[in-house]
Amino acid sequence: MPGWLWAVPPVAVLAAVFLYPLALVVQQSLSPENGGGAFDAYAKVFASHSFREALGTTVWLAVGATIGCLVLGFALALVIAFVPFPGARAVAKFIDVFLSFPSFLITLALLFVYGTVGMANGLWTDVFGVSDGPFHFLATPWGVLLAEITYFTPFVMRPLLASFSQLDTAQLEVASSLGARPARIVRRVILPESLPALAAGGSLVLVMCLNEFGIVLFTGAKDVTTLPMLIYGKAILESDYSAACVVAVVNIAISVGLFGLYRVVSKRAGA
């Protein structure tokens, strides 16, 4: 039996459950329901203010969350890997478990704490005897950014911890014996060795943030419209499937491009 025949079943399944629906999305984007040219729907969507605003919001939230995750993830990974404290190994194991949590669960937890009727506002009203608390930021872009950083930081920490575990501790001991302070050791020894892992984790977070839907939806940020939210609005609320498919194609193109970058960086990092 030729070896290439073994590839037929998985390719057929992949084509049926993924490639065919994707092809339908592309076809729908090129076939406006009201007639017209193949790219009329693209021209209409690209010219709309809502699309440009959603694209800008998506990009700045993804970039901002990625930067926040890189900074926070690097700091936390340093503490777990190089600062001895009871339960360090348990915390490192928890990072692996955290990666399996759905994003809306973290957002729901933040709502319980900082939501309009959350614990923080409830404590504030009880202490000061007022009718309303001061914490309303979760329904703003900054609340979405906080939720994304909270959820995606472990995706940066995981490759960093793997990178730190392979770091030659002799380099740290030599640098310390020569009088280098901890900050200098981090800057001159640890950081250069961890750059590939930082790039891999940051690339993954960037791709995932570009496609994040649950966090934006569950924070209730009505003024925050990202590309996934725009797709939802066009398809479900407005029944404008051609426009929804155009936005979906753009979102897929950006994601695939960044995922290709992530794969290249991951191979170089060995993460």
Side-chain angles (χ1 to χ4, degrees):
M1 181 176 179
W4 62 268
L5 286 178
W6 292 102
V8 173
V11 170
V13 172
L14 178 65
V17 302
F18 177 72
L19 297 180
Y20 178 66
L22 181 60
L24 289 179
V25 170
V26 176
Q27 180 187 20
Q28 182 68 35
S29 71
L30 297 171
S31 305
E33 297 176 352
N34 298 326
F39 294 98
D40 286 358
Y42 282 85
K44 180 181 178 181
V45 169
F46 291 167
S48 66
H49 174 72
S50 60
F51 171 77
R52 295 195 298 269
E53 184 178 13
L55 179 61
T57 301
T58 302
V59 171
W60 91 257
L61 278 175
V63 172
T66 301
I67 294 174
C69 289
L70 288 174
V71 174
L72 182 60
F74 183 73
L76 293 178
L78 276 178
V79 173
I80 294 174
F82 299 110
V83 180
F85 65 92
R89 296 190 63 179
V91 173
K93 293 294 184 183
F94 176 74
I95 298 300
D96 296 334
V97 177
F98 188 93
L99 299 180
S100 65
F101 288 176
S103 59
F104 73 84
L105 184 62
I106 305 303
T107 309
L108 193 61
L110 289 174
L111 285 173
F112 278 129
V113 179
Y114 297 111
T116 304
V117 293
M119 296 169 55
N121 281 321
L123 182 61
W124 184 279
T125 55
D126 291 341
V127 172
F128 294 99
V130 294
S131 60
D132 192 20
F135 304 105
H136 302 285
F137 62 89
L138 277 183
T140 69
W142 299 107
V144 176
L145 187 64
L146 172 64
E148 290 190 349
I149 292 175
T150 302
Y151 178 69
F152 289 113
T153 293
F155 289 86
V156 173
M157 295 176 63
R158 190 65 195 88
L160 277 176
L161 290 173
S163 176
F164 291 161
S165 67
Q166 299 175 4
L167 185 64
D168 186 3
T169 56
Q171 299 181 54
L172 307 182
E173 295 171 358
V174 169
S176 180
S177 64
L178 292 175
R181 294 183 177 275
R184 184 178 178 84
I185 294 175
V186 171
R187 187 174 66 254
R188 300 297 296 273
V189 179
I190 298 177
L191 181 58
E193 293 290 335
S194 62
L195 284 178
L198 276 172
S203 300
L204 177 61
V205 169
L206 184 61
V207 172
M208 297 177 70
C209 286
L210 284 171
N211 297 283
E212 182 54 43
F213 176 77
I215 287 178
V216 183
L217 182 65
F218 272 78
T219 54
K222 298 180 180 179
D223 296 330
V224 179
T225 303
T226 60
L227 290 180
M229 289 295 295
L230 184 62
I231 295 170
Y232 173 80
K234 292 291 185 183
I236 305 301
L237 304 180
E238 301 178 21
S239 298
D240 189 352
Y241 298 110
S242 295
C245 289
V246 169
V247 180
V249 169
V250 173
N251 202 10
I252 291 170
I254 296 174
S255 300
V256 170
L258 289 175
F259 181 74
L261 176 63
Y262 162 71
R263 293 292 299 172
V264 172
V265 174
S266 295
K267 288 182 178 180
R268 292 183 179 182

